[in-house]
Amino acid sequence: MATSDRDRLSDRLFAAKSALVIAHIMPDADTLGAALGLGLSLRSLGMTVHLACADPVPTELRFLPSAQEVQPRLYAGEEIIVTVDISDQQRIGMLYDEKIFSTVPVLVIDHHITNTRFGALNWVAEVPATSEMILELLQAHNVTISLDAATCLLAGIIGDTQCFLTSNTSPSSLIAAAQLQELGAPLREIATTVLNRRPTSALAVWREAFINACQEPGIILTTLGSAFLRSVSADDSSTNGLSSWLAGLDGVLISAVLREADDGSVDVSMRSAPEINIAVVAQNLGGGGHPQAAGCVLAGPLSSASERLLAELRPLTARPAPVEELVH
Ligand code: 5GP
Ligand code: MN
């Protein structure tokens, strides 16, 4: 049988004595769940593991076991670098160093169709969550999964499937979740925390987003300025769930939340109805993601970023022109 990407990657992974495991910028439950689930499990095998992320762990995800270990730490001589849930180098943020990433073996484990395969070994699978891939990897290697690791992995699956509600939720996700629950992972506590818990700043941020929302046929778009975000001490995670909520409004096929950063760049979070693929749009604009959940970073100001985005989105929502009656 031909060796699969997973097996090639796992052979190198389990042969290492030390690893730096990196989660993506503005971390969510899946990247943290995958990093922690993998890191804790590798450590139980005797490997030295350091966990890194360029941005802080959001308050609502600090319940994840060992979350405090995830720090903006630089490469410190580990044998390999493992990136989880990261589709391209930009998502590593300030921890990316071209020289180090071209000399140390980089193992990429990810589930984004837009993944650029920037590692020496790349395993990219079409499953709803990277955490599900980590579970598969550990099971294939007969690694005993602790309650802490199971909790992290279940949080990742619940986060990316919005508790099994996204259109890509597969039987494999439900089976993985059931196995993790059997290991003791508290499904209800994880789901309510990951999906419902938000920083206090979310109230002011969502209010502003609703006020600024603009609609046109099939599209809803809203903007959040950096001066406003600073004035309410907004956390990065204050907009979590906002683009999904907007996409649920009647008649909306695509939602977009544009958030201006302090450096003037604009972070875009998009969601779409199942018949519309916004991963393509995000990729055309230098970002990436999934067909129904994608994002990118655009140049500011907010007004020109909005126009640039709308120019890409409008053709996707245009209804086909009525077919003219054939005259015989
Ligand atoms: P969210 O809207 O929840 O921040 O992100 C939705 C999806 O799009 C996630 O899978 C995330 O990894 C991806 N994504 C969001 N922003 C970016 C970006 O700037 N670049 C890339 N490559 N992917 C992004
Ligand atoms: Mn993910």
Side-chain angles (χ1 to χ4, degrees):
M1 199 178 89
T3 313
S4 67
D5 288 349
R6 186 199 77 192
D7 293 339
R8 268 190 294 276
L9 182 139
S10 110
D11 286 349
R12 184 67 191 90
L13 177 71
F14 289 108
K17 293 202 167 45
S18 61
L20 176 66
V21 180
I22 304 182
H24 67 66
I25 51 171
M26 290 197 254
D28 59 14
D30 188 33
T31 196
L32 290 170
L36 286 161
L38 176 66
L40 297 177
S41 304
L42 292 177
R43 216 176 258 170
S44 73
L45 299 175
M47 197 186 294
T48 300
V49 179
H50 298 133
L51 295 156
C53 179
D55 291 325
V57 174
T59 330
E60 60 277 14
L61 294 178
R62 294 199 188 141
F63 78 96
L64 291 172
S66 297
Q68 72 285 357
E69 278 194 43
V70 181
Q71 296 288 339
R73 64 177 93 239
L74 296 171
Y75 172 74
E78 295 88 351
E79 193 177 324
I80 56 170
I81 294 173
V82 186
T83 67
V84 288
D85 202 36
I86 294 183
S87 55
D88 55 72
Q89 286 106 318
Q90 279 94 320
R91 305 281 291 161
I92 294 168
M94 65 177 181
L95 301 183
Y96 181 72
D97 179 318
E98 199 182 337
K99 198 159 159 232
I100 288 165
F101 277 71
S102 56
T103 45
V104 180
V106 175
L107 279 56
V108 169
I109 307 176
D110 185 37
H111 71 131
H112 293 96
I113 48 160
T114 56
N115 189 287
T116 59
R117 291 169 169 77
F118 60 92
L121 292 163
N122 303 278
W123 176 35
V124 182
E126 261 192 63
V127 287
T130 302
S131 297
E132 195 180 316
M133 298 171 70
I134 302 294
L135 177 64
E136 182 189 319
L137 188 76
L138 297 172
Q139 286 175 332
H141 203 77
N142 288 319
V143 180
T144 303
I145 297 164
S146 67
L147 171 58
D148 282 355
T151 299
C152 294
L153 296 176
L154 186 54
I157 294 171
I158 285 175
D160 264 21
T161 62
Q162 287 178 42
C163 208
F164 317 111
L165 284 175
T166 57
S167 55
N168 61 355
T169 300
S170 56
S172 72
S173 315
L174 293 162
I175 291 166
Q179 290 173 339
L180 293 165
Q181 191 183 27
E182 248 171 3
L183 290 168
L187 188 138
R188 192 194 64 81
E189 286 85 340
I190 293 171
T192 50
T193 310
V194 168
L195 299 178
N196 297 342
R197 184 57 71 94
R198 290 192 171 77
T200 313
S201 60
L203 180 62
V205 171
W206 283 51
R207 183 166 50 207
E208 176 79 357
F210 289 162
I211 291 168
N212 294 347
C214 299
Q215 264 190 287
E216 51 181 88
I219 302 175
I220 187 161
L221 178 148
T222 191
T223 55
L224 294 159
S226 62
F228 164 76
L229 292 168
R230 262 195 314 278
S231 75
V232 297
S233 306
D235 305 75
D236 275 350
S237 64
S238 62
T239 45
N240 277 1
L242 179 55
S243 51
S244 300
W245 193 92
L246 292 171
L249 290 169
D250 249 356
V252 169
L253 297 173
I254 304 175
S255 68
V257 175
L258 280 70
R259 204 170 46 177
E260 186 185 30
D262 285 335
D263 66 4
S265 65
V266 176
D267 176 88
V268 180
S269 166
M270 292 183 283
R271 297 291 182 270
S272 69
E275 65 269 29
I276 292 182
N277 184 344
I278 41 159
V280 177
V281 171
Q283 200 165 27
N284 286 342
L285 296 170
H290 309 289
Q292 270 69 61
C296 57
V297 178
L298 297 176
L302 276 171
S303 53
S304 56
S306 302
E307 277 316 313
R308 174 134 192 249
L309 186 64
L310 284 169
E312 296 280 335
L313 297 179
R314 282 182 188 124
L316 298 183
T317 58
R319 290 179 190 288
V323 180
E324 279 180 33
E325 250 183 41
L326 290 172
V327 182
H328 295 283

